[in-house]
Amino acid sequence: MGTKVRNIRMTPTKQFLINAFVNLVNEKDFDKISIADITNGAQVNRATFYAHFNDKYELLDYIINDSAAAVIEKRTLGVVKFDQNNIVQLVLAVCDFHQQPNIQCRRSYLSLAPQLKEKMLMELKNYLLRSLDNILSDSEKSFYVSIYANIIHEAGYLWASGYTTFDKEEVAKKASLLIAGDHSKISEGEWL
C-alpha cells in the first residue's frame, strides 16, 4: 500500500473512527478488535477507514500520541521550564495519562501498556530536552533526559496502577525531589 498523505486536521469521520475504537477497547481486548468492528461502530465503510489509517495499530498510535502530548500541555499550561513545579506537573500528567483510557477491560489495558509507556516517554523526553536546552550541555542532556523521563513515568505509572499508597500529589512531590537531587528531604517531606 502506498504512503498516505498525512492530514493533520481532525475530520468528523476520523473522530467517529476514534470514538468507535475507544468504545470497543472498553468492551473487548485490543487483540480481538477487527477493522470491521471499528467501521461498524463508526458507521463508515472499510475504504473510509483505510483512507485515514493503515491498520488498528496506526489508529492506536494516533490516539496515544495525541493524548500524551495533550496531557503534558494541559498540566504544564504550555510552559516549558525545568523546575520543581513543572516536574510535579509532569508526574501528574503521567498519572492522568494512565487513567485516561478508562478501559474497563483490564486485559486490554495491560496489552496496551507498553505502547502507552513508549509514547509517554517520548513526549516526556521531548519536553525535558526543550526545558534543559540552555541549562545543560548536549552530552549532559542526552544522559539526564532519559533518566528523568523514566523516573517521572515510573512514579506516575506506579500511582495509576495502584502500586503505592501515596496519593498522586505526594508521588509527584517525591519524584520531583528525587530529580532535584536533594535525597535527604525525600523521606522528611521537605521542599527545596
Side-chain angles (χ1 to χ4, degrees), residues 5-6 12 16 19 32 45 51 72 79 87 92-93 96 105 119-120 125 140-141 145 151 163 165 173:
V5 176
R6 299 305 303 165
F16 293 151
N19 293 346
K32 294 188 168 115
N45 64 38
I72 288 174
V79 175
I87 294 168
L92 293 173
D96 295 347
C105 183
K119 298 303 177 185
M120 179 48 84
K125 288 176 183 178
E140 288 175 318
K141 275 193 296 190
V145 162
I151 291 170
Y163 292 123
T165 57
K173 289 175 187 176

Side-chain angles (χ1 to χ4, degrees), residues 35-54:
I35 301 302
D37 293 333
I38 298 167
T39 57
N40 288 340
Q43 298 181 342
V44 299
N45 64 38
R46 210 171 171 81
T48 301
F49 175 88
Y50 289 115
H52 293 278
F53 302 103
N54 287 320

